[in-house]
Amino acid sequence: MREDNQLIVITHLSQLVTLVTGFGSLIIPLILWATQKEKVYNMDTHGKNIVNFQLSLIVYFIICIPLILLLGLGLLGFIVLGIISIIFPVINAIKASNGETPTYPFSFKFIS
C-alpha cells in the first residue's frame, strides 16, 4: 500500500462537485473509494466516513421534505444541511492533508 494524502484530500473535496453539477457528491467519492481502498493507505477509513456522511445527508434531506408543511421547518433544514454539506468536507480535507483521520458528525454507520 502506498500513502497518498493528496488522493484522500481530493476524495473529501469531490463531495463539493454538487455545487457545480447538481449531483455526484456520493458517486465520485464512492468510485474513488471503491477503486483505491486496497491500494492507498487509510483510503478505506476515509472512504467509509465519506460515504456514510453522504448517505446520512440524503436521509436528512428526505426527512426535511415533509417538515416543509410544518411551519417551514424543512426549508430551514435544507439551508442548514446545505451549509453542513459544504463546511465539513472542507474541514475534513484539511485534516486529511495533515494526516489526521477526520470524522463526520451526525453520520449513520451504513458501512462499517
Side-chain angles (χ1 to χ4, degrees):
M1 284 192 159
R2 62 183 164 78
E3 188 169 328
D4 192 353
N5 280 347
Q6 290 178 343
L7 183 61
I8 293 174
V9 169
I10 289 170
T11 307
H12 282 283
L13 292 177
S14 68
Q15 299 173 75
L16 301 176
V17 74
T18 302
L19 298 173
V20 177
T21 63
F23 65 93
S25 62
L26 174 64
I27 297 168
I28 295 173
L30 182 64
I31 292 170
L32 287 171
W33 169 60
T35 59
Q36 300 295 319
K37 67 182 176 183
E38 295 181 7
K39 298 176 186 174
V40 177
Y41 180 71
N42 271 342
M43 177 60 92
D44 193 39
T45 305
H46 288 269
K48 286 178 184 177
N49 286 338
I50 293 168
V51 171
N52 285 331
F53 176 66
Q54 287 300 318
L55 291 173
S56 298
L57 281 178
I58 291 170
V59 169
Y60 290 135
F61 276 117
I62 291 171
I63 290 172
C64 284
I65 292 171
L67 290 177
I68 292 173
L69 300 174
L70 185 64
L71 300 173
L73 290 177
L75 296 175
L76 180 63
F78 282 136
I79 293 169
V80 170
L81 289 173
I83 293 170
I84 287 172
S85 68
I86 294 170
I87 292 175
F88 282 112
V90 172
I91 290 172
N92 287 331
I94 294 169
K95 286 183 179 180
S97 70
N98 293 331
E100 301 174 34
T101 302
T103 57
Y104 288 93
F106 309 115
S107 290
F108 300 119
K109 296 293 179 193
F110 294 103
I111 302 170
S112 57

